[in-house]
Amino acid sequence: MSTPSAPEPAYADRVYRSPMAVVTGVLILAMIVWLCGDAVVRGVGVGRWIGLAAALCAVPLTVAFTIRPAVFANEDRMRVRNPFRVIELPWGIVDAVRAGYSAEVLADGAKYQLWSVPVSLRERKKANRSAGRREAAGAGGPAAAPAVRASADKAVDELTELAERGAARPGAQGQVRVRWAWEIIVPAVAGAVLLAVLLMVG
């Protein structure tokens, strides 16, 4: 009599994002609050409204391109959160994850960029030089340090491994789903339109 198989353990999502982009976004947001806040507090007439409109446009765009981008990956799928879209890709439909001049995933005949995994050619060259020095020195013994990889290449390797391991899982089947980030688009467009109108009438 066969014993029932134990349920597979659930793993928390791996999260890939650029710490430097997040730090940059926080600094830019602080500058926007300072400049636009000063215009609202000290401005007169239409100047206050221009400050508010500029903040309404600039804040969501700053968040979209710095803090928002992230890739979430688990055993069944990856969710790519780009500036203006969220793309959900079950592993069963992913053809490849690669990093050339940018990191991207290929699925169902389409290509989606991974904004949160920036490719640094300088970092890659540095890693390649380090690997070359290790080979020239005859590295590879039991005490050899692990090979250095650029952060983008390392992230792509991990995502590729997850894709290959999860492609046949029942929960990893389905179609690509794309959702537009209206919470970013609507206020940014509204702020830009309001700012243009105020500048014309001012």
Side-chain angles (χ1 to χ4, degrees):
M1 181 177 178
S2 60
T3 57
S5 58
E8 297 184 24
Y11 298 95
D13 285 1
R14 297 188 191 184
V15 183
Y16 300 88
R17 64 186 343 140
S18 170
M20 184 59 67
V22 173
V23 171
T24 301
V26 170
L27 294 176
I28 294 175
L29 287 175
M31 186 174 63
I32 292 171
V33 171
W34 175 49
L35 294 175
C36 295
D38 184 69
V40 171
V41 172
R42 300 188 182 186
V44 293
V46 74
R48 293 184 174 183
W49 290 102
I50 289 176
L52 285 173
L56 182 62
C57 178
V59 167
L61 290 179
T62 300
V63 171
F65 286 99
T66 58
I67 299 174
R68 174 182 168 82
V71 172
F72 304 89
N74 58 31
E75 297 298 303
D76 289 330
R77 65 197 65 239
M78 69 186 299
R79 182 164 58 92
V80 181
R81 194 170 69 191
N82 282 342
F84 302 115
R85 295 192 301 176
V86 176
I87 305 105
E88 188 172 308
L89 305 109
W91 292 129
I93 204 171
V94 170
D95 299 317
V97 185
R98 64 189 186 187
Y101 292 104
S102 63
E104 55 196 22
V105 57
L106 308 179
D108 199 23
K111 179 172 65 176
Y112 305 96
Q113 189 172 357
L114 309 181
W115 280 74
S116 68
V117 185
V119 173
S120 171
L121 298 182
R122 182 178 179 182
E123 184 185 6
R124 181 179 287 166
K125 289 178 181 178
K126 183 178 178 180
N128 290 340
R129 285 197 300 268
S130 177
R133 286 194 296 267
R134 292 176 72 257
E135 290 180 3
V148 178
R149 295 278 284 163
S151 56
D153 295 330
K154 182 179 178 182
V156 167
D157 289 345
E158 292 176 0
L159 291 170
T160 299
E161 181 183 353
L162 282 172
E164 292 174 348
R165 195 168 63 209
R169 289 170 58 92
Q173 310 308 311
Q175 300 298 317
V176 177
R177 293 195 296 178
V178 179
R179 179 181 69 82
W180 288 95
W182 297 112
E183 66 277 13
I184 296 290
I185 297 171
V186 171
V189 172
V193 171
L194 181 57
L195 182 60
V197 170
L198 289 172
L199 291 175
M200 284 190 296
V201 300

